[in-house]
Amino acid sequence: MQHPVDAFPTLNDFFRRRLKPKARPIAEPRNPNLLVSAADCRLMTFQSVSLATKTWVKGNRFTILDLLGKDEEMAQKFSGGSLTIFRLAPQDYHCFHFPCNGRLVSTTTVPGKLYSVNPIVVQHERVNVFTENVRSISIIDSEEFGLVAFIAVGATIVGSIDKYVRPGTTFKKGDLFGDFSYGGSTVLLLMQAGRVTFDHGTHSSSTLLVTMSSFSLATNE
């Protein structure tokens, strides 16, 4: 941590704690073709959303269109694209970071529910956590990866999603984007079809504990 425990006046201040500089070294910072993890988390990668719904996400309304807040034009741009799920637990560092170089095009808040993001709930066919919960949808324009949809999802006790970068801003991979208030939550990353190749030599489509930015997630090479 950047500060000692007694420096935090409230539990929420501690929950939103920052790490010491260089605590999470960025994987190959000069290589813009390498995508890095967006958070300290357990993550799963799926080469397509349809594969995700077959093996993990069971909600019957989990589609790219619903995920993107019914934006039909944007949903078409991500048709057939890949999905990465970054699941943050309460004990994790709860900031999220940009996984690639780029420019923030837009950020839209979609109101919704605050269902738990526990895997038991996510896999329940009658609950559509990622398309019904409150979420912040950000569109990134990356020279290397094309359009990227960065979706921060609120959850039980975690209705607050704070972002520190405004649309129009350019950034480097690993730069701070925002954080969640108290609880556990999720970040979803939608990539356009054919833009990434996941490093399955390091991980697979199963839950895995990783540390933000020191972990190389995928490449567009």
Side-chain angles (χ1 to χ4, degrees):
M1 292 187 301
Q2 191 172 23
H3 303 291
V5 173
D6 58 8
F8 302 99
T10 68
L11 178 60
N12 193 51
D13 288 325
F14 171 74
F15 184 77
R16 301 169 68 185
R17 64 194 179 276
R18 301 296 190 259
L19 298 178
K20 291 181 179 179
K22 300 182 180 180
R24 295 292 186 270
I26 306 303
E28 298 186 33
R30 296 184 180 180
N31 179 5
N33 295 308
L34 190 70
L35 200 71
V36 295
S37 180
D40 275 340
C41 61
R42 295 111 188 106
L43 71 77
M44 289 156 287
T45 61
F46 302 93
Q47 204 61 53
S48 69
V49 170
S50 61
L51 178 60
T53 59
K54 291 178 182 178
T55 60
W56 184 255
V57 185
K58 300 300 183 182
N60 56 17
R61 289 191 297 278
F62 185 81
T63 65
I64 292 177
L65 180 61
D66 290 325
L67 193 61
L68 294 177
K70 301 295 186 180
D71 186 332
E72 295 185 1
E73 181 179 356
M74 191 58 66
Q76 289 178 359
K77 294 178 180 180
F78 286 95
S79 177
S82 62
L83 174 70
T84 302
I85 302 174
F86 305 87
R87 188 172 67 85
L88 288 73
Q91 70 270 20
D92 293 326
Y93 163 71
H94 253 65
C95 293
F96 45 88
H97 294 244
F98 290 108
C100 60
N101 297 346
R103 180 178 65 88
L104 184 60
V105 176
S106 64
T107 295
T108 304
T109 298
V110 178
K113 303 181 185 301
L114 289 173
Y115 292 129
S116 169
V117 291
N118 183 285
I120 295 175
V121 182
V122 172
Q123 293 182 305
H124 199 294
E125 294 186 359
R126 296 183 183 178
V127 178
N128 299 274
V129 174
F130 298 143
T131 59
E132 292 188 35
N133 275 22
V134 60
R135 56 200 184 279
S136 177
I137 303 170
S138 297
I139 303 299
I140 294 168
D141 185 11
S142 169
E143 180 178 349
E144 293 76 24
F145 294 97
L147 291 179
V148 178
F150 189 112
I151 306 166
V153 183
T156 304
I157 318 178
V158 197
S160 296
I161 304 170
D162 294 314
K163 296 173 294 300
Y164 305 115
V165 178
R166 294 182 178 182
T169 304
T170 58
F171 50 81
K172 298 292 185 182
K173 67 177 182 180
D175 285 353
L176 178 66
F177 187 9
D179 61 33
F180 294 103
S181 291
Y182 181 70
S185 198
T186 299
V187 170
L188 306 178
L189 201 67
L190 269 178
M191 310 289 293
Q192 291 183 293
R195 282 290 189 169
V196 298
T197 301
F198 291 113
D199 184 7
H200 288 297
T202 305
H203 69 289
S204 62
S205 298
S206 59
T207 304
L208 179 71
L209 177 65
V210 300
T211 54
M212 189 280 298
S213 294
S214 61
F215 179 82
S216 59
L217 174 63
T219 178
N220 69 349
E221 295 180 324

